[in-house]
Amino acid sequence: MITTVLRHALRARGDEPAVLCHSGAGTLRELSGLPRNAGDRTVDLGAHPLGEPIPIGVEGATDDEREPVAGLVALVAATPTDLHRALTAAVHLPKAVQVVVALLDTPGHQDPPVPAGPGMGQWRDLQELRVRRVGRRGWVCEFFFPNPVESAPVLDAVLHGTRGRRRGPSVAPLAALNGAEASLWRPGDTGVHGVEQGGPVPLRRVTPVADLALRVGDGAAAVDWADEKVPVLDRVTTGTDSWEGLAGEHGRERAAGLIVSAAADPVSLIAPIDETTVNPTGFGKAEKGPLGHLTLNGDRAVVRDGKKDLIEVAADGTVTDVDLAGIRHLRGVRIDWTGHTGPTAAVRAVASLAAGGVPLVAEPVPGWAAGLGTTLIDAIEGATEADLTDRLAREEHSVRLRRAALRTHGLRSRWRGLAAETGIPLPPEPRVSVILCTRRPDMVGFALAQIARQRGVALETVLTLHGFPADLPEVASAIDAYRETGLPIVVHEASAERIFGSVLNDSVARASGDLIAKWDDDDWYGPEHLADLVLARTYSGAELVGTGQDFVYLQEVDLMVWRSRESETATRFIAGGTILTDRVVLEETGGFRPLPRAIDTQLLIAVSRGGGRVHRTHGLGYVLRRTGGGHTWSEDMAYFLHNYARQWSGWRPSSLLEGEPVPLGRPVDGGEPAVTATYPGGSA
């Protein structure tokens, strides 16, 4: 199918040259046997060195001053991860009147690549657009323009189509790249510029087009950098530190004892993980599945189940989204530390598996793998194979791994680190405004204690007292204790007659954060709850994120239920007390409806109706409390006992909750606050 499409495209382009690109394993063969003209070019766009133009036309022909134009630009990518990487080098592609993008395979959780125009009128003359499925999960997109258009934005539109309306947080600073494997450091960014090894960074009028330059080479002495305004950093390719180069002919056998020294932080030397495609989306309950092994087959690393190789890891350590989908049935992967081509590639492979939420176990991590970072190393060494056979312990281990890998090796984290290394100032991370609305004075200290222990995010709290004043003794003491933590808080008193949805909108209006998180006053939240939601917002690209109601404490019968619902997936329902969204999303959806109940459900419906996506991340850091009444979601106890995975008598949350904080302020009746007051504004 793909070859047929390309043959027709080559016939239709007339006498103009064609640029036939490929990216990822097995894609070059899709271009073999095609009819070519003398001026056509075949390019491995996933490995093309940044800063090297892609010439078209017949060599030796007389140049003119016109910008080169291709009759056809085609790209065959193995996976969306490979397409994302190829986008970076696509800045070197010429304009074209016909563009073909083919994806050989996609993970099952992604949408079809239905592209949207760039929005500045560039595609007003678009004549025809075709999107066709190839096989079970492949796609071909064909574009026909009467006049030449930039090729890179067309490729970008195809990839964007697989992720929905929202792109997610941008990567800063603006970058200029040079050299082989430079695309590994900035996948998916069509705003980068390729530069010559010595610079300088080009100007747009009087302003450099980038704030930081990165050169990726073979370790040889780099030429002097000629740009005084834009700092430069140097990194080496993943093949530079091969085992043989580091430890001689028998380097693999001596790898376990090898320590690779570096003056810089070893983590900063590792090319980042593309979290927009390599992430835990699609994680499954597979505690009864086989145990895979990351080991060596010939000169390539593979993940093997028995005698069957499930995936072959690229030589640079890249693991794709399709690779992750192919090993989701495994209960985990055991790491063989003597595998892969060298330390850097091995670290990237392990970090990618961890970022994907794949449960990993291993012998002690060798010294040469210090580039993993201490947090990820501790997480890998913190579990045994026995943990992988227990559903809860396996998922807890997966969450610890994905947290460590994405925060240490994620694309945005790495570039913020590179900016800090060169002294480039960046905007602060987004601030979270926690919206806490309560009718229960006796629960204020409990709820504020849950917020006060959040870590890994910048936050403020907007506390709305719905129908009672702030000068009640138990309320005032709780607020004072919270202020002593140094965290900002805004206190708002709303009259009891105000409808709950309107009160929430009043709270949002008083918030100053970029993100809005809804908080219930009687539920329990782990200290990483907000940080996990912000992380999920980054890798999912969803307009709204939250968790499921996995853990439910039935207070009347002193019973903890774990329902073990599907996580890391697009969904129509999340727990209302875990909603996190951008302020602009609330503006686009009209905010919370002025209703006394079902507020959260109505917001989820509005987001979906507007074309947005809702992503449900893991629910292990949240416990929903159910009492005899007083909840807007009035399901009886049988609802929560239906189809549960596990239950315990008494209090038994996930270990990720990390215990219970002591309520702030004066204790109520000398102990834990009781939950007895009627509250028509709880979880919806």
Side-chain angles (χ1 to χ4, degrees):
M1 173 69 160
I2 294 175
T3 302
T4 301
V5 170
L6 292 175
R7 286 183 182 274
H8 288 313
L10 285 167
R11 293 192 189 104
R13 54 73 185 260
D15 296 329
E16 294 179 311
V19 182
L20 304 177
C21 309
H22 61 98
S23 177
T27 53
L28 181 58
R29 63 173 174 262
E30 298 290 338
L31 305 180
S32 61
L34 295 174
R36 313 290 179 93
N37 290 344
D40 294 346
R41 294 287 181 268
T42 300
V43 181
D44 183 352
L45 203 60
H48 183 76
L50 268 291
E52 292 187 12
I54 298 175
I56 61 172
V58 180
E59 291 186 19
T62 302
D63 294 333
D64 57 32
E65 296 181 355
R66 294 178 301 173
E67 186 176 6
V69 174
L72 169 67
V73 167
L75 170 62
V76 181
T79 69
T81 300
D82 296 302
L83 174 56
H84 213 222
R85 178 176 175 177
L87 284 182
T88 307
V91 298
H92 290 306
L93 291 174
K95 289 184 176 182
V97 294
Q98 184 179 1
V99 180
V100 176
V101 185
L103 279 167
L104 299 185
D105 200 0
T106 58
H109 61 263
Q110 286 191 333
D111 292 334
V114 180
M120 293 293 288
Q122 299 98 314
W123 292 7
R124 286 177 186 152
D125 296 331
L126 177 67
Q127 287 183 320
E128 188 174 356
L129 167 62
R130 302 174 189 164
V131 180
R132 289 185 276 180
R133 186 184 291 272
V134 179
R136 291 185 58 193
R137 294 196 301 263
W139 295 91
V140 173
C141 302
E142 299 174 79
F143 301 79
F144 301 88
F145 300 92
N147 298 302
V149 299
E150 298 285 349
S151 301
V154 178
L155 273 58
D156 182 53
V158 173
L159 182 68
H160 188 202
T162 68
R163 292 178 52 78
R165 186 179 62 174
R166 182 172 175 271
R167 292 180 177 271
S170 64
V171 180
L174 293 175
L177 302 176
N178 170 268
E181 290 192 1
S183 294
L184 277 184
W185 288 82
R186 198 76 174 215
D189 190 350
T190 57
V192 304
H193 288 263
V195 295
E196 296 181 359
Q197 188 180 28
V201 173
L203 298 178
R204 183 178 289 118
R205 295 185 179 177
V206 296
T207 306
V209 297
D211 300 314
L212 174 62
L214 182 73
R215 301 185 293 191
V216 183
D218 59 5
V223 300
D224 292 338
W225 181 245
D227 197 320
E228 297 181 355
K229 294 182 179 179
V230 179
V232 64
L233 290 174
D234 289 298
R235 295 295 186 266
V236 297
T237 62
T238 56
T240 302
D241 62 345
S242 67
W243 295 126
E244 288 72 15
L246 291 169
E249 181 180 356
H250 302 288
R252 294 188 191 279
E253 291 76 9
R254 295 199 290 266
L258 182 66
I259 299 177
V260 180
S261 60
D265 173 14
V267 171
S268 72
L269 305 179
I270 306 298
I273 305 302
D274 180 7
E275 68 261 46
T276 56
T277 60
V278 180
N279 58 60
T281 302
F283 176 81
K285 319 290 184 181
E287 72 280 2
K288 295 182 180 179
L291 181 68
H293 294 266
L294 177 63
T295 186
L296 203 65
N297 183 5
D299 61 349
R300 300 297 289 273
V302 297
V303 174
R304 177 175 294 170
D305 175 14
K307 296 182 179 180
K308 181 181 180 181
D309 292 343
L310 301 177
I311 63 172
E312 183 178 280
V313 182
D316 58 24
T318 296
V319 174
T320 71
D321 45 358
V322 172
D323 290 337
L324 291 173
I327 60 175
R328 289 296 186 196
H329 66 286
L330 300 176
R331 71 176 184 270
V333 171
R334 172 167 283 281
I335 303 170
D336 175 4
W337 293 112
T338 62
H340 226 293
T341 54
T344 300
V347 165
R348 291 197 74 243
V350 173
S352 296
L353 293 173
V358 178
L360 304 176
V361 292
E363 298 299 324
V365 178
W368 57 258
L372 288 169
T374 56
T375 305
L376 182 52
I377 290 173
D378 291 343
I380 292 172
E381 296 180 340
T384 65
E385 288 188 22
D387 294 319
L388 306 189
T389 60
D390 178 272
R391 180 182 292 189
L392 179 55
R394 175 180 178 271
E395 188 168 355
E396 289 171 338
H397 179 49
S398 169
V399 171
R400 293 187 180 100
L401 288 170
R402 68 184 74 159
R403 282 174 177 172
L406 290 168
R407 293 171 188 170
T408 303
H409 294 281
L411 181 63
R412 289 156 182 82
S413 297
R414 179 71 78 254
W415 277 91
R416 291 189 75 88
L418 296 179
E421 187 176 335
T422 53
I424 296 174
L426 293 178
E429 296 282 10
R431 190 182 193 186
V432 181
S433 291
V434 178
I435 304 302
L436 170 60
C437 179
T438 178
R439 280 191 183 270
R440 296 180 282 209
D442 54 338
M443 293 305 298
V444 172
F446 173 86
L448 290 179
Q450 304 287 330
I451 300 172
R453 71 171 182 155
Q454 296 299 300
R455 59 177 179 249
V457 293
L459 65 85
E460 70 167 1
T461 299
V462 178
L463 171 63
T464 299
L465 309 177
H466 195 179
F468 61 91
D471 58 3
L472 292 178
E474 64 270 36
V475 176
S477 61
I479 294 172
D480 289 342
Y482 185 85
R483 286 194 169 114
E484 289 176 1
T485 67
L487 295 172
I489 183 170
V490 176
V491 181
H492 168 227
E493 296 179 11
S495 66
E497 292 74 25
R498 290 279 288 169
I499 297 175
F500 179 51
S502 298
V503 172
L504 285 176
N505 287 328
D506 293 343
S507 301
V508 173
R510 287 167 169 77
S512 63
D514 310 283
L515 309 178
I516 305 295
K518 187 170 175 291
W519 204 272
D520 280 356
D521 64 354
D522 59 341
D523 297 335
W524 288 270
Y525 300 81
E528 301 269 0
H529 170 74
L530 288 177
D532 284 345
L533 293 181
V534 172
L535 194 62
R537 168 184 175 266
T538 298
Y539 62 70
S540 70
E543 278 76 5
L544 188 149
V545 297
T547 80
Q549 295 168 332
D550 285 18
F551 277 88
V552 182
Y553 179 59
L554 304 174
Q555 185 165 296
E556 281 188 304
V557 293
D558 191 26
L559 189 71
M560 182 73 79
V561 174
W562 182 43
R563 304 170 70 217
S564 187
R565 293 298 189 242
E566 183 182 13
S567 65
E568 302 301 348
T569 182
T571 183
R572 293 183 180 272
F573 181 80
I574 59 171
T578 68
I579 287 174
L580 181 134
T581 190
D582 292 46
R583 178 187 291 275
V584 68
V585 173
L586 290 175
E587 295 174 356
E588 292 171 351
T589 56
F592 295 98
R593 289 187 64 186
L595 299 172
R597 62 184 69 249
I599 309 302
D600 307 325
T601 302
Q602 292 300 311
L603 178 61
L604 300 179
I605 292 172
V607 169
S608 298
R609 186 186 297 123
R613 288 179 298 145
V614 177
H615 182 88
R616 183 167 63 219
T617 187
H618 75 89
L620 304 186
Y622 170 71
V623 177
L624 174 72
R625 188 200 305 250
R626 297 299 293 188
T627 58
H631 297 271
T632 60
W633 186 26
S634 54
E635 298 288 351
D636 60 22
M637 192 180 300
Y639 177 87
F640 298 99
L641 292 174
H642 175 66
N643 197 25
Y644 62 84
R646 203 172 296 176
Q647 68 177 23
W648 302 269
S649 295
W651 175 254
R652 172 58 172 84
S654 162
S655 62
L656 298 184
L657 197 75
E658 298 187 27
E660 298 181 74
V662 176
L664 297 178
R666 298 187 346 179
V668 178
D669 299 328
E672 181 184 350
V675 186
T676 56
T678 300
Y679 180 47
S683 45

